Amino acid sequence: MTNRSYACGEKNGSPRKKRRRKINRTLLTMWGVSSVLVVGLIIVGILMFTLKPGEGSSHSYISSTSTFFDGITVNGRDMSGLTYSEAWDVLSGDVNSALSGVSITVRVGTKSWLLSAADLGVSSTLEETLNTAMAYGRSDTTVNNARAQADLKEHGLNLSVSYKVNDAKLSNTISAISDAVSVKPVNASACPDTNSSTPAFIYSEGVSGMTLNEQKICEDISRLISDGALCSTVAPEFEYTEPAVTVDDLKAVTQLRSSFKTSYGENSTLKNANRIRNIQKAADILNGCTMEVGQEISFNEFIGPRYEKDGWALAPGIVNGSHYENQPGGGICQVSTTLYNALLCSGPEMEITQRKKHTWPSSYVDYGLDATVSTGGPDLCWKNNTESTVYIFAYADNVNYIMTVYIYGMPLPDGITYQVKGVVNEEIPYGDTEYEYIPTWPQGYEKTARNARKGYKTTSYRYKLKDGVVIETETLYSDYYRPISKLVQVGSGSPSLPRP
């Protein structure tokens, strides 16, 4: 009984179960298809709002046959229905005409420069403008494109071709103009007045520098071109630079540092007319000598060689360290010696780089403080180690027979002056008279060929003074002037020989 009931129940329930399974499968299939459709619709919707032409696709939204939508104008010309190429042909003539008419005038005072499109590297935005016009209503999402096209029908779209400069080309053009009009500042100057009988300067005011503001004019021109003002005049701005050195600055460094005087009126030899002429000539050349910082000067080079053909007179000069002979430029050692002492009194910043004493001391200066010079021979050289330009004034007073040299430049510290002194340490007597026998001279005739001169050992000093009181003593050097014996030339020939 039990087994049969089970068998009967299994037989009765099987068809219902099969139907339920079939229904469930159908429902699942329908649900799956619906889900796919919904997802697909969602994706399509998203793409309509987000996907733009060209994204996810290799196809351009513009073809050679694409035309501008109705309502688009460029530079006032209707582009509706035109292809890109047709629109280019319509507009390029106007653009080229505008470029050929570019004329920017840069005016500086009475000078002017007319700059063309080539000078400025001007180009148009025609291509970019047409691309923008063609892309309008095409380049965005489907929804946005539809909105843009609808807006075109209602409001239209007006575009303009603009112009722009090539920054590098413009900069080069303006730089060339700047080179032509910019002026560097000129410092004030001081020039020794060599026409004055006393030390004086001619001062000239400086001139301000004027530099074209290149950045500003480039910006102005670039803006004019961008705004379409293709024919305009520009008045550039300048930046002004004051001179670094003023007249007041120069007056502060053109002060007296030192001076020195010697006399050439003590005896007839010193007052020799030709000697005075040479002193005057050398003083005139030296007067106004200007030395820059660090410069070294040679007296021989500055004064020049002394020859009769150059106007130097024959006057007594020491020859072979033994006697005087007339020679061109004789006597100018008084100028070099006076200068030498003035330089020493100007302080150690005026460095003496070369100096040589005479064979015997000079009568117009302390022994040991002379400085001999000669064409092709001994020289006096000095160097400016001060912090400013040095000026030398030299005057020969032929009424009072005074030679004076002044040194001007940066003044010595307040209250400071220098003095020099030559001290004889030892006087050396000359030896016995020497004789030289001349067989071509008759017996009984004789002549003094060389005078006897004492010798000297000297020491030269420089004193530094503060308000007239010596605060420092500097030993400069020691000199030795050898004694010279008298030389007598005696005739040893036949008494019948003629006297020379």
Side-chain angles (χ1 to χ4, degrees):
M1 188 69 178
T2 303
N3 291 337
R4 191 170 57 187
S5 296
Y6 176 80
C8 183
E10 184 180 51
K11 181 178 178 180
N12 292 337
S14 178
R16 288 196 298 272
K17 290 180 179 181
K18 289 180 178 179
R19 283 196 297 272
R20 282 197 295 272
R21 293 191 190 101
K22 186 174 181 179
I23 290 170
N24 289 338
R25 283 195 297 270
T26 301
L27 289 174
L28 285 172
T29 300
M30 292 176 66
W31 182 84
V33 171
S34 298
S35 298
V36 171
L37 290 173
V38 170
V39 170
L41 290 172
I42 291 173
I43 291 173
V44 169
I46 291 173
L47 291 177
M48 289 179 67
F49 282 92
T50 61
L51 185 64
K52 299 179 181 180
E55 294 181 358
S57 170
S58 59
H59 299 288
S60 172
Y61 57 86
I62 299 176
S63 67
S64 60
T65 58
S66 297
T67 59
F68 293 94
F69 291 124
D70 291 346
I72 295 178
T73 62
V74 176
N75 282 11
R77 291 180 177 271
D78 187 9
M79 299 289 106
S80 302
L82 298 179
T83 65
Y84 189 97
S85 177
E86 290 169 340
W88 183 277
D89 292 340
V90 168
L91 295 170
S92 59
D94 294 342
V95 169
N96 290 336
S97 177
L99 288 175
S100 64
V102 170
S103 177
I104 301 296
T105 302
V106 178
R107 182 164 293 145
V108 180
T110 59
K111 297 181 179 179
S112 62
W113 287 261
L114 189 62
L115 307 181
S116 66
D119 296 322
L120 305 174
V122 179
S123 60
S124 76
T125 61
L126 176 59
E127 182 177 353
E128 296 94 321
T129 302
L130 290 180
N131 286 341
T132 299
M134 183 62 78
Y136 196 83
R138 289 187 174 91
S139 60
D140 212 332
T141 64
T142 301
V143 172
N144 287 341
N145 283 339
R147 290 173 179 170
Q149 292 171 23
D151 186 69
L152 274 176
K153 292 178 181 179
E154 183 176 355
H155 303 291
L157 175 65
N158 299 311
L159 297 176
S160 297
V161 175
S162 60
Y163 301 88
K164 56 186 177 181
V165 299
N166 180 287
D167 291 336
K169 194 71 176 290
L170 172 60
S171 178
N172 289 338
T173 299
I174 296 303
S175 180
I177 295 176
S178 178
D179 290 342
V181 300
S182 295
V183 178
K184 293 182 178 180
V186 177
N187 289 332
S189 63
C191 179
D193 185 357
T194 56
N195 293 320
S196 173
S197 59
T198 57
F201 291 91
I202 299 172
Y203 296 99
S204 299
E205 294 287 351
V207 179
S208 298
M210 185 176 71
T211 304
L212 184 68
N213 188 332
E214 296 184 32
Q215 180 178 349
K216 178 66 167 55
I217 191 174
C218 285
E219 291 174 353
D220 290 346
I221 292 175
S222 180
R223 183 172 57 255
L224 287 170
I225 296 299
S226 297
D227 292 345
L230 305 184
C231 294
S232 302
T233 298
V234 179
E237 295 181 4
F238 286 86
E239 297 172 349
Y240 295 89
T241 306
E242 294 303 314
V245 179
T246 66
V247 167
D248 287 340
D249 294 332
L250 289 176
K251 287 182 176 180
V253 292
T254 49
Q255 301 294 314
L256 177 66
R257 287 180 66 92
S258 64
S259 65
F260 200 84
K261 299 176 183 290
T262 60
S263 172
Y264 50 94
E266 297 176 357
N267 56 58
S268 59
T269 300
L270 295 179
K271 292 170 66 174
N272 175 282
N274 281 354
R275 185 177 187 275
I276 292 176
R277 177 180 167 185
N278 291 331
I279 290 174
Q280 183 69 67
K281 182 176 177 67
D284 289 345
I285 295 173
L286 181 62
N287 189 40
C289 172
T290 301
M291 294 186 70
E292 300 302 328
V293 175
Q295 183 180 1
E296 183 176 5
I297 289 183
S298 156
F299 184 91
N300 283 338
E301 290 181 3
F302 192 86
I303 300 299
R306 276 75 74 190
Y307 299 113
E308 284 188 87
K309 65 181 180 63
D310 297 319
W312 295 97
L314 294 174
I318 299 174
V319 176
N320 297 326
S322 61
H323 62 284
Y324 282 112
E325 281 186 11
N326 284 335
Q327 53 185 285
I332 70 166
C333 290
Q334 180 134 9
V335 179
S336 61
T337 293
T338 308
L339 169 63
Y340 172 59
N341 282 265
L343 292 169
L344 290 176
C345 291
S346 191
E349 294 82 9
M350 293 303 296
E351 179 186 359
I352 306 301
T353 58
Q354 187 175 335
R355 169 261 175 186
K356 187 175 181 180
K357 65 176 181 59
H358 289 85
T359 303
W360 55 80
S362 300
S363 62
Y364 47 80
V365 72
D366 285 354
Y367 290 4
L369 290 177
D370 57 315
T372 184
V373 292
S374 177
T375 300
D379 199 0
L380 172 65
C381 301
W382 67 100
K383 184 178 181 181
N384 176 14
N385 290 329
T386 72
E387 296 179 1
S388 68
T389 304
V390 165
Y391 307 88
I392 298 174
F393 295 90
Y395 304 97
D397 178 354
N398 295 327
V399 174
N400 299 301
Y401 304 107
I402 299 295
M403 177 67 218
T404 308
V405 171
Y406 298 90
I407 308 296
Y408 274 71
M410 179 177 288
L412 294 170
D414 288 344
I416 297 297
T417 55
Y418 290 91
Q419 294 179 0
V420 289
K421 185 177 181 60
V423 176
V424 176
N425 301 317
E426 182 181 352
E427 184 178 294
I428 306 168
Y430 49 81
D432 296 336
T433 300
E434 299 175 5
Y435 295 92
E436 180 183 3
Y437 294 94
I438 310 296
T440 57
W441 291 0
Q443 292 181 13
Y445 177 80
E446 64 179 41
K447 183 178 73 172
T448 299
R450 183 178 68 213
N451 292 319
R453 297 183 182 275
K454 295 177 181 179
Y456 300 92
K457 290 183 178 180
T458 65
T459 301
S460 296
Y461 300 93
R462 175 162 52 196
Y463 303 106
K464 182 177 182 180
L465 296 85
K466 172 70 173 177
D467 298 326
V469 178
V470 176
I471 59 174
E472 183 179 319
T473 300
E474 177 187 2
T475 300
L476 296 175
Y477 51 81
S478 294
D479 277 334
Y480 171 63
Y481 299 89
R482 64 180 177 82
I484 299 174
S485 298
K486 181 178 181 179
L487 175 64
V488 177
Q489 293 176 323
V490 179
S492 60
S494 168
S496 62
L497 288 171
R499 292 190 174 195

